[in-house]
Amino acid sequence: MSNLVVLPILIPLFFGAMFVFFHNKLAAVRLMSFVVLLINTATAIFIVYEVYSKGALILETGGWKAPYGIILIADKLSSLLILTTNIIALAACVYAGATLDEEREKHYFYTLFLILIAGVSGAFLTGDLFNLFVFFEVLLMASYSLIVLGATKVQLRESIKYVLLNLFSSMLFVTTVAFLYSVTGTVNMAQLAERVGEIQQKGVLTSIAILLFVVFATKGALFPLYFWLPKSYTAPPSVISALFGALLTKVGIYSILRVFSLIFVYKLETTHAFFLLLAGFTLIFGVIGALSTHNVKLIIAYNIIPAIGFMLLGIGTFSAESLAGTIYYLVHDMIIKAALFFLAGILVYIAGTSDLRKMGGYIKGYPLVGWMFFLSALVLAGIPPFSGFIGKLLLLKGAFAEKHYLVAAIGLGCSLLILLSIIRIFIMAFWGEQKEGKKIKLKRGMVIPPLALLCFSIFLGIGAEWVYPHIQSIADGLANPSQYINEVLKAR
Amino acid sequence: MEILMCILGGALFAAGIYLLLQRQLLRIILGTALVSHGAHLLILTMGKLNRGAPPVLGEGIGHYTDPLPQALILTSIVISFGVTSFLLVLAYRAYQKNRTDMMDQLRGTEDE
């Protein structure tokens, strides 16, 4: 029992609501959101410290014992993801202050932003399947408002599709929870795991598992359910795209990771083999999308999809090593996608267009941006010694060890194509003749966030010796779910 | 009774999905409302439709009705109510801005 667990949800939610009353005092709200996120990050660091030294923190809300009430649980995986989320949120807060127009900021950007963070944190922390649905709705509701913030023609058009699709998949989620409840009589994840294990996932349970997978796959943008992602993520301003790209799809993949390493692990030859197949297709189609366009933001948005494919590959292989790869890749990808969207935003700001063919020669005027872009391209593609490499190494090693040669080979090939798609931006935008147009002075708040995230990402790669044992211990915990179940249900 | 409710839920789903596949925006929104009604009915049915017993187990009570589905439905209804009202406003603004409510004209082109 520890009230600490609820703080990463409560702090942003409370202050987000408070900012509604002060939305016209922009300078104060900007400063306050930064301070709030700073406090939240400090809390997250403290939670991580507590979890790694004493074991998982559990809060039984309302004092109801584990299987009866809703529980919030911060284990190693959730606490790590909460910390990553807050770091990205801090960077996004600074970047938003520098790039967003006042009109958008005044129309409750910071409120919605903080509520989004609260929703994402809640989804990472909850130990109850129905509560996961509720937190999904919290973060989706914030994202619906963020995606349409500003109400330009494109935003209105794309947000309708985004809302409709997510609404439908949410209803599917409710249906699935209803089915699961009727079969097992519980919505608590630990008890679900126990009961599904007792009957060895017989009968209709595998169908329910796949239905649940479809829901998460829609949120996480997996093949063939990724079609909504690229356009709707590029419609809003860059800072919002960065938040979506870094956090939202990752919540989907986190849910798959949690549910299919804890609850539905008894019919691996059906479910997880199916994941491998989808991972292969997700990789291929995502990369083809990334190579098909000249729109900078669209290229980055398409690059979200193969990253999800890589993570699913790890879940499909399902060994302790490949799960470690998935977690490493998850953290790496959250950080580097945010940085890339920030950099793409700077590029669009400099060029005044998102069309690559109208850019060129910016390395002279903006050397720092150019080099940051180059480095993040290397990090994303997984060139050693950066963080993408460690994640991919673990994933592919796991896949080869389990004899999934084809999908591993697809992964390797796609890494090259990812590098091509990103380096193409670098070549076309930074090399060549300088296009006309005067030099625009970049604000400090635009350059620092991607720089900080990039440093963080490089640390994840260079400091792998230090980070990797922790990640491996998370993966070992996931591969052996009885520990999680006992921790949650020990109160009985 | 459960069978009847299941059939009703299924019919709502079918009608909702038919409406979701239409081109006109308002029909699609009505479709999402129907689908969510279907899902809510399903939750209610999945907890077995018992009546006339207390919702808690105690000493000397062998028979009880399950209160959890109703808590779940209440939450879900509130959420889908909120999202539907948001969607209606969004659709109205989109209609004002794009001057059309037909989905096939909202496809968008590369050169924007």
Side-chain angles (χ1 to χ4, degrees), chain B residues 28-90:
Chain B
I28 296 175
I29 297 173
L30 288 177
T32 63
L34 285 189
V35 168
S36 64
H37 287 327
H40 298 153
L41 270 186
L42 194 74
I43 305 179
L44 191 68
T45 319
M46 286 300 156
K48 290 255 175 63
L49 299 167
N50 292 329
R51 290 204 312 169
V56 281
L57 271 178
E59 299 244 344
I61 299 171
H63 181 73
Y64 91 121
T65 53
D66 193 353
L68 191 71
Q70 304 186 11
L72 302 188
I73 294 179
L74 202 59
T75 317
S76 179
I77 286 178
V78 173
I79 289 171
S80 66
F81 172 72
V83 178
T84 307
S85 53
F86 179 84
L87 194 53
L88 281 169
V89 176
L90 184 67

Side-chain angles (χ1 to χ4, degrees), chain A residues 224-235:
Chain A
L225 299 162
Y226 66 84
F227 54 87
W228 56 274
L229 182 135
K231 277 200 169 170
S232 59
Y233 273 26
T234 45

